[in-house]
Amino acid sequence: MHSNTAGLTTARPLTLRRATDGDLDGVLALLAETAAWLNRRGVRQWPAGGFPAGRITPLIDEGTLYLLEGQDGPAATLALDGHADPEFWTPADDPGAALYVHKLAVARGHSGRGLGEALLDWAGLRVLSMGKRWLRLDCSKDNAGLQDYYRGQRFTHLRTVDLPHRASGALFQRSGGLRGNASGLGLPFSDRRGVPVPEHV
């Protein structure tokens, strides 16, 4: 078993929790910052100005949007749920066997600290704790760099669905658990506000 509070060297501990209505403005700002950063690099997966509140509020209401919070505000966010986009995932993929990552974003001030990797590992542990097999996501079909990032996180590229009205469409999955079945990895945040972070199994 491992500690969920070990990891990054920082004077400001990070806390993972479910986002609440009061977090909406902070999450929207974080997503807008990330979208602008992506668009400056030619990645058109997200709208340049970020997402409207109507796209994010349902995730908060459903309890599927998580916030990684530091003393200076939101450090990262992601949604994790069982929603398989029907334009991408088919019955042959056994959509119910997976959890799906959406809206993964890290604040620019916290980039390079491994927060995205740690959140993906946490999501992989959630897959196991919920009796699922796969952690899945879709990303920009035209961004080789982003796809290489996910390959580096031990995701396998399954296929690319090329729909003219969707910027996304590169489909990736990896087995539940930590990257490469690593053991003894401390995640760089705590769950002291009630988000269940399962131990490594």
Side-chain angles (χ1 to χ4, degrees):
M1 299 175 71
H2 69 277
S3 168
N4 288 321
T5 58
L8 301 180
T9 302
T10 176
R12 296 183 173 184
L14 301 173
T15 301
L16 181 65
R17 61 178 176 84
R18 283 188 174 89
T20 66
D21 291 341
D23 297 314
L24 179 61
D25 288 345
V27 170
L28 291 175
L30 172 55
L31 292 173
E33 176 191 49
T34 304
W37 178 77
L38 289 171
N39 275 265
R40 285 195 300 272
R41 283 154 181 78
V43 180
R44 305 290 182 243
Q45 178 163 334
W46 289 357
F51 294 94
R55 290 280 302 278
I56 304 305
T57 299
L59 300 175
I60 294 175
D61 293 343
E62 293 163 7
T64 59
L65 187 70
Y66 296 87
L67 189 67
L68 189 56
E69 184 178 56
Q71 293 181 0
D72 55 348
T77 189
L78 90 163
L80 184 67
D81 58 33
H83 175 65
D85 190 321
E87 290 195 316
F88 295 150
W89 304 99
T90 71
D93 295 314
D94 191 10
L99 292 181
Y100 298 82
V101 173
H102 316 278
K103 308 296 185 291
L104 175 61
V106 176
R108 293 298 87 208
H110 291 271
S111 64
R113 300 176 60 196
L115 299 188
E117 293 90 336
L119 285 173
L120 290 170
D121 275 344
W122 171 81
L125 294 177
R126 292 284 289 163
V127 168
L128 296 184
S129 73
M130 296 183 69
K132 307 286 186 179
R133 182 177 180 184
W134 303 109
L135 181 64
R136 289 175 174 163
L137 57 87
D138 62 85
C139 73
S140 173
K141 59 194 175 189
D142 298 323
N143 186 349
L146 183 58
Q147 293 177 31
D148 285 345
Y149 168 80
Y150 285 119
R151 287 187 180 93
Q153 301 308 309
R154 306 294 178 91
F155 282 85
T156 297
H157 177 244
L158 298 179
R159 63 185 179 275
T160 296
V161 179
D162 189 6
L163 300 174
H165 62 287
R166 300 291 298 270
S168 192
L171 308 186
F172 287 82
Q173 74 177 16
R174 80 182 194 198
S175 297
L178 302 174
R179 286 164 285 174
N181 297 317
S183 61
L185 176 66
L187 301 180
F189 43 76
S190 71
D191 65 338
R192 63 179 178 269
R193 296 192 191 182
V195 177
V197 179
E199 297 290 347
H200 176 55
V201 294

